[in-house]
Amino acid sequence: MQLGDARHGKLADNLVGFSRALRRAGVPMDSARIALAGEAATWVGLARRDDLGAALEAVLVSREQDRAIFRELFDAFFRDPKVASKLLAQLLPSAEGRAEPSKRRPRVREALAPQTPPQAQRRPAEDQVDIDAVMTASSAQRLRHADFNALGIAEYRLVERLARDIPLPLPTLATRRTAPDCRGARAYWPGVMRRAAHTGGECLELPRLQRRREALPLLVLVDISGSMERYTRLLLAFLHAATRALRRREVFAFGTQLTDLTPAFAQGDTDAMLDAVNARIPDFAGGTRLGESLSSLRTAHARKLIGRRTLVLLISDGLDTGEPATLETELGWLRRHCRRLLWLNPLLRFDGYAPTARGAAVLHRQAHAMLAVHDLASLEQLAASIARLIRQP
């Protein structure tokens, strides 16, 4: 091990610095985990780097998506003395060093970057506008195709703002309500009388009644499990802004239980909506029990939500931990009581993806179609894909 400070009684400081780097990379971290890491390092010793890495990974990583980030950061922290010195500079002001440029993951690069002083983070709004204005076309194009799960913290915030500007015009259908129009099969007699009053009793035009057209009622089911954590906030912000004008919009989150987010979506501001969602969800980044959540939807909200005109968007990676038989039954009921059941799956970013997991296989059988929602380009194509699927018999 080249980080000699750890052999001179500074193991605790180094573990704290390493934990801070993990937290900046988006890995959940708290004081209990850091204390447990200290105990693990004491038990395995510092003689073998692999043993120490395995011990720290066992106590500091709780999500599979963070495992690669941990290993890359651990390797940089305990092998590259320049990067280690740079990280230690946060703890020891006299330490100096520069990290050489590399092709590390964005979350790792940001974790290794020097932290901005608090005074510099409070920039006026004018400065933020300037940053957006100078974003080059190549940068915008790269962000348009960047996977949400691979974005750094700053990039994630920028992409979240860009996603709010993407429209999602849903297909419209004729309703039973009518409105005056120049076309239509029925005459609009009140309009006829008013126009005749202006022309001395002569009826020069015959106003008609046309059936109104409205967008399909929308039901959104969002997976808030740990594997969907990087997608949930961004997709909620996108859906809130894109469907704000809809008359009927119901939103539910499901993890280990079902949570009604429709009151939170009634907020006019997207940031306020996200704050309200955070306050309402009790099981964020937990497991996924979609079958049980759909059962709660059927028993508690069926009459209010489901109709043959409803478009259902189910956002999930399909990594369900519930019983497949329950999921099959509930998805079958949902499919029979809506116009289209569309599965929005971020795992479609992988070439050759196949829904082989138990929950994913059930979703693939029951959903009318599966669409990708892993980057801005896929969100831009979502409206056209939905319109095409609605037109299909």
Side-chain angles (χ1 to χ4, degrees), residues 4 36 65 68 90 98 126 129 132-133 165 178 192 197 207 215 239 283 299 304 320 353 368:
L36 197 59
Q65 65 204 62
Q90 300 170 22
R98 297 180 58 187
E126 294 77 11
V129 173
D132 291 341
D165 296 330
T178 57
V192 172
L239 289 171
D283 56 340
T299 55
K304 186 174 71 172
D320 187 62
Y353 166 78
H368 289 98

Side-chain angles (χ1 to χ4, degrees), residues 3 5 17 21 24 76-77 80-101 104 108-115:
L3 194 61
D5 293 326
R24 291 202 301 274
F77 196 97
D80 188 338
K82 294 182 179 179
V83 175
S85 298
K86 186 174 182 179
L87 290 170
L88 284 175
Q90 300 170 22
L91 302 174
L92 306 174
S94 60
E96 294 182 357
R98 297 180 58 187
E100 60 182 16
R104 294 190 172 93
V108 175
R109 287 202 306 270
E110 291 200 5
L112 296 177
Q115 287 186 297

Side-chain angles (χ1 to χ4, degrees), residues 49-50 54 57 149 151 154 196 206 240 294 297 302 316 334 352 355 390:
R49 189 174 63 89
D50 293 340
E57 181 177 342
N149 197 40
L151 296 173
L206 185 60
H240 179 265
L294 290 178
L297 178 73
S316 175
L334 186 61
I390 290 295

Side-chain angles (χ1 to χ4, degrees), residues 190-358:
V192 172
M193 299 300 292
R194 281 197 293 269
R195 295 192 180 187
H198 291 292
T199 58
E202 294 289 337
C203 184
L204 303 179
E205 295 182 45
L206 185 60
R208 297 180 179 275
L209 289 176
Q210 177 81 346
R211 295 179 68 181
R212 292 181 178 176
R213 298 189 67 85
E214 289 185 355
L216 295 174
L218 182 65
L219 169 61
V220 180
L221 301 171
V222 184
D223 187 346
I224 56 169
S225 63
S227 58
M228 288 287 295
E229 184 179 358
R230 296 280 292 179
Y231 296 94
T232 301
R233 177 184 172 91
L234 200 150
L235 292 176
L236 284 175
F238 158 68
L239 289 171
H240 179 265
T243 63
R244 187 179 287 121
L246 292 183
R247 193 172 65 88
R248 293 205 54 185
R249 177 184 60 178
E250 308 289 344
V251 184
F252 289 83
F254 64 89
T256 55
Q257 65 185 62
L258 187 71
T259 305
D260 188 358
L261 301 183
T262 305
F265 262 62
Q267 301 273 354
D269 180 69
T270 301
D271 291 323
M273 180 276 296
L274 292 173
D275 291 339
V277 166
N278 288 334
R280 295 181 69 88
I281 294 179
D283 56 340
F284 185 72
T288 310
R289 302 181 69 85
L290 177 56
E292 287 76 0
S293 298
L294 290 178
S295 178
S296 301
L297 178 73
R298 177 172 56 82
T299 55
H301 305 283
R303 290 189 176 182
K304 186 174 71 172
L305 300 176
I306 306 303
R308 296 306 300 264
R309 299 163 62 91
T310 303
L311 171 65
V312 180
L313 301 181
L314 198 158
I315 305 172
S316 175
D317 54 9
L319 304 180
D320 187 62
T321 57
E323 289 296 327
T326 305
L327 181 58
E328 186 94 43
T329 302
E330 299 299 336
L331 279 176
W333 168 81
L334 186 61
R335 178 188 173 107
R336 292 191 300 273
H337 291 80
C338 70
R339 187 175 184 87
R340 284 290 186 275
L341 171 58
L342 303 182
W343 177 19
L344 308 186
N345 185 1
L347 294 185
L348 282 181
R349 66 183 185 275
F350 297 115
D351 295 335
Y353 166 78
T356 55
R358 296 189 308 172

